[in-house]
mmCIF file of all heavy atoms in Angstrom:
data_model
loop_
_atom_site.group_PDB
_atom_site.id
_atom_site.type_symbol
_atom_site.label_atom_id
_atom_site.label_comp_id
_atom_site.label_asym_id
_atom_site.label_seq_id
_atom_site.Cartn_x
_atom_site.Cartn_y
_atom_site.Cartn_z
ATOM 1 N N SER A 143 -118.860 -8.274 -30.999
ATOM 2 C CA SER A 143 -118.431 -7.077 -31.722
ATOM 3 C C SER A 143 -116.998 -6.681 -31.398
ATOM 4 O O SER A 143 -116.355 -5.971 -32.173
ATOM 5 C CB SER A 143 -119.379 -5.911 -31.423
ATOM 6 O OG SER A 143 -119.231 -5.462 -30.088
ATOM 7 N N THR A 144 -116.480 -7.144 -30.243
ATOM 8 C CA THR A 144 -115.128 -6.765 -29.844
ATOM 9 C C THR A 144 -114.202 -7.970 -29.648
ATOM 10 O O THR A 144 -112.992 -7.845 -29.752
ATOM 11 C CB THR A 144 -115.144 -5.966 -28.532
ATOM 12 O OG1 THR A 144 -115.675 -6.791 -27.483
ATOM 13 C CG2 THR A 144 -116.004 -4.714 -28.671
ATOM 14 N N GLY A 145 -114.789 -9.127 -29.308
ATOM 15 C CA GLY A 145 -113.970 -10.301 -29.019
ATOM 16 C C GLY A 145 -113.641 -10.469 -27.555
ATOM 17 O O GLY A 145 -112.641 -11.087 -27.202
ATOM 18 N N VAL A 146 -114.517 -9.957 -26.673
ATOM 19 C CA VAL A 146 -114.316 -10.032 -25.225
ATOM 20 C C VAL A 146 -115.158 -11.153 -24.627
ATOM 21 O O VAL A 146 -116.297 -11.383 -25.047
ATOM 22 C CB VAL A 146 -114.694 -8.688 -24.564
ATOM 23 C CG1 VAL A 146 -114.951 -8.847 -23.069
ATOM 24 C CG2 VAL A 146 -113.600 -7.657 -24.789
ATOM 25 N N LEU A 147 -114.596 -11.836 -23.632
ATOM 26 C CA LEU A 147 -115.328 -12.832 -22.850
ATOM 27 C C LEU A 147 -115.487 -12.299 -21.431
ATOM 28 O O LEU A 147 -114.511 -12.029 -20.739
ATOM 29 C CB LEU A 147 -114.570 -14.162 -22.829
ATOM 30 C CG LEU A 147 -115.338 -15.357 -22.259
ATOM 31 C CD1 LEU A 147 -116.405 -15.827 -23.237
ATOM 32 C CD2 LEU A 147 -114.387 -16.506 -21.926
ATOM 33 N N ASN A 148 -116.736 -12.165 -20.984
ATOM 34 C CA ASN A 148 -117.015 -11.655 -19.640
ATOM 35 C C ASN A 148 -116.951 -12.772 -18.598
ATOM 36 O O ASN A 148 -117.322 -13.916 -18.886
ATOM 37 C CB ASN A 148 -118.416 -11.024 -19.592
ATOM 38 C CG ASN A 148 -118.394 -9.516 -19.682
ATOM 39 O OD1 ASN A 148 -117.475 -8.857 -19.202
ATOM 40 N ND2 ASN A 148 -119.422 -8.952 -20.309
ATOM 41 N N PRO A 149 -116.543 -12.454 -17.364
ATOM 42 C CA PRO A 149 -116.503 -13.447 -16.278
ATOM 43 C C PRO A 149 -117.890 -13.642 -15.670
ATOM 44 O O PRO A 149 -118.188 -13.170 -14.571
ATOM 45 C CB PRO A 149 -115.514 -12.825 -15.283
ATOM 46 C CG PRO A 149 -115.676 -11.354 -15.469
ATOM 47 C CD PRO A 149 -115.970 -11.159 -16.941
ATOM 48 N N VAL A 150 -118.751 -14.348 -16.389
ATOM 49 C CA VAL A 150 -120.153 -14.484 -16.003
ATOM 50 C C VAL A 150 -120.306 -15.150 -14.641
ATOM 51 O O VAL A 150 -121.148 -14.741 -13.829
ATOM 52 C CB VAL A 150 -120.925 -15.270 -17.085
ATOM 53 C CG1 VAL A 150 -122.311 -15.675 -16.594
ATOM 54 C CG2 VAL A 150 -121.049 -14.428 -18.352
ATOM 55 N N GLU A 151 -119.513 -16.168 -14.368
ATOM 56 C CA GLU A 151 -119.624 -16.844 -13.076
ATOM 57 C C GLU A 151 -119.375 -15.864 -11.931
ATOM 58 O O GLU A 151 -120.115 -15.848 -10.940
ATOM 59 C CB GLU A 151 -118.632 -18.003 -13.000
ATOM 60 C CG GLU A 151 -118.696 -18.752 -11.680
ATOM 61 C CD GLU A 151 -117.676 -19.876 -11.571
ATOM 62 O OE1 GLU A 151 -116.747 -19.942 -12.401
ATOM 63 O OE2 GLU A 151 -117.816 -20.693 -10.640
ATOM 64 N N GLN A 152 -118.347 -15.052 -12.044
ATOM 65 C CA GLN A 152 -118.035 -14.077 -11.001
ATOM 66 C C GLN A 152 -119.164 -13.065 -10.847
ATOM 67 O O GLN A 152 -119.571 -12.728 -9.722
ATOM 68 C CB GLN A 152 -116.726 -13.354 -11.329
ATOM 69 C CG GLN A 152 -116.296 -12.333 -10.295
ATOM 70 C CD GLN A 152 -115.061 -11.547 -10.718
ATOM 71 O OE1 GLN A 152 -114.669 -11.561 -11.886
ATOM 72 N NE2 GLN A 152 -114.455 -10.854 -9.773
ATOM 73 N N PHE A 153 -119.701 -12.581 -11.980
ATOM 74 C CA PHE A 153 -120.793 -11.617 -11.917
ATOM 75 C C PHE A 153 -122.009 -12.225 -11.226
ATOM 76 O O PHE A 153 -122.675 -11.570 -10.421
ATOM 77 C CB PHE A 153 -121.174 -11.147 -13.320
ATOM 78 C CG PHE A 153 -120.128 -10.306 -14.005
ATOM 79 C CD1 PHE A 153 -120.234 -10.034 -15.364
ATOM 80 C CD2 PHE A 153 -119.051 -9.785 -13.319
ATOM 81 C CE1 PHE A 153 -119.283 -9.263 -16.008
ATOM 82 C CE2 PHE A 153 -118.087 -9.012 -13.952
ATOM 83 C CZ PHE A 153 -118.216 -8.758 -15.302
ATOM 84 N N SER A 154 -122.307 -13.465 -11.546
ATOM 85 C CA SER A 154 -123.460 -14.123 -10.942
ATOM 86 C C SER A 154 -123.289 -14.250 -9.437
ATOM 87 O O SER A 154 -124.239 -14.023 -8.662
ATOM 88 C CB SER A 154 -123.670 -15.503 -11.564
ATOM 89 O OG SER A 154 -124.802 -16.136 -11.024
ATOM 90 N N GLN A 155 -122.094 -14.580 -8.991
ATOM 91 C CA GLN A 155 -121.835 -14.689 -7.556
ATOM 92 C C GLN A 155 -122.052 -13.348 -6.852
ATOM 93 O O GLN A 155 -122.621 -13.297 -5.755
ATOM 94 C CB GLN A 155 -120.401 -15.176 -7.326
ATOM 95 C CG GLN A 155 -120.171 -16.626 -7.713
ATOM 96 C CD GLN A 155 -118.713 -17.030 -7.628
ATOM 97 O OE1 GLN A 155 -117.821 -16.190 -7.498
ATOM 98 N NE2 GLN A 155 -118.446 -18.323 -7.731
ATOM 99 N N ILE A 156 -121.614 -12.275 -7.480
ATOM 100 C CA ILE A 156 -121.782 -10.941 -6.902
ATOM 101 C C ILE A 156 -123.262 -10.591 -6.810
ATOM 102 O O ILE A 156 -123.746 -10.068 -5.794
ATOM 103 C CB ILE A 156 -121.018 -9.896 -7.739
ATOM 104 C CG1 ILE A 156 -119.510 -10.115 -7.598
ATOM 105 C CG2 ILE A 156 -121.408 -8.472 -7.328
ATOM 106 C CD1 ILE A 156 -118.686 -9.312 -8.576
ATOM 107 N N ILE A 157 -123.996 -10.883 -7.870
ATOM 108 C CA ILE A 157 -125.429 -10.570 -7.867
ATOM 109 C C ILE A 157 -126.140 -11.369 -6.786
ATOM 110 O O ILE A 157 -126.962 -10.833 -6.035
ATOM 111 C CB ILE A 157 -126.034 -10.850 -9.260
ATOM 112 C CG1 ILE A 157 -125.412 -9.917 -10.310
ATOM 113 C CG2 ILE A 157 -127.551 -10.671 -9.239
ATOM 114 C CD1 ILE A 157 -125.633 -10.364 -11.736
ATOM 115 N N ARG A 158 -125.820 -12.636 -6.681
ATOM 116 C CA ARG A 158 -126.453 -13.489 -5.668
ATOM 117 C C ARG A 158 -126.152 -12.982 -4.250
ATOM 118 O O ARG A 158 -126.994 -13.081 -3.356
ATOM 119 C CB ARG A 158 -125.947 -14.922 -5.812
ATOM 120 C CG ARG A 158 -126.379 -15.631 -7.077
ATOM 121 C CD ARG A 158 -127.847 -15.912 -7.074
ATOM 122 N NE ARG A 158 -128.265 -16.692 -8.238
ATOM 123 C CZ ARG A 158 -129.503 -16.792 -8.652
ATOM 124 N NH1 ARG A 158 -130.461 -16.157 -8.004
ATOM 125 N NH2 ARG A 158 -129.818 -17.521 -9.698
ATOM 126 N N ALA A 159 -124.966 -12.439 -4.056
ATOM 127 C CA ALA A 159 -124.565 -11.989 -2.717
ATOM 128 C C ALA A 159 -125.213 -10.677 -2.307
ATOM 129 O O ALA A 159 -125.396 -10.422 -1.107
ATOM 130 C CB ALA A 159 -123.043 -11.852 -2.667
ATOM 131 N N HIS A 160 -125.567 -9.831 -3.281
ATOM 132 C CA HIS A 160 -125.985 -8.479 -2.942
ATOM 133 C C HIS A 160 -127.361 -8.088 -3.468
ATOM 134 O O HIS A 160 -127.782 -6.943 -3.271
ATOM 135 C CB HIS A 160 -124.956 -7.473 -3.478
ATOM 136 C CG HIS A 160 -123.578 -7.672 -2.928
ATOM 137 N ND1 HIS A 160 -123.247 -7.371 -1.624
ATOM 138 C CD2 HIS A 160 -122.457 -8.170 -3.503
ATOM 139 C CE1 HIS A 160 -121.968 -7.667 -1.419
ATOM 140 N NE2 HIS A 160 -121.467 -8.150 -2.540
ATOM 141 N N SER A 161 -128.062 -9.011 -4.108
ATOM 142 C CA SER A 161 -129.324 -8.624 -4.735
ATOM 143 C C SER A 161 -130.217 -9.843 -4.924
ATOM 144 O O SER A 161 -129.742 -10.981 -4.954
ATOM 145 C CB SER A 161 -129.043 -7.968 -6.093
ATOM 146 O OG SER A 161 -130.226 -7.716 -6.806
#
Side-chain angles (χ1 to χ4, degrees):
S143 70
T144 62
V146 161
L147 190 73
N148 260 327
V150 168
E151 180 182 13
Q152 181 185 15
F153 292 168
S154 182
Q155 290 173 348
I156 292 169
I157 296 163
R158 292 291 185 198
H160 300 288
S161 173

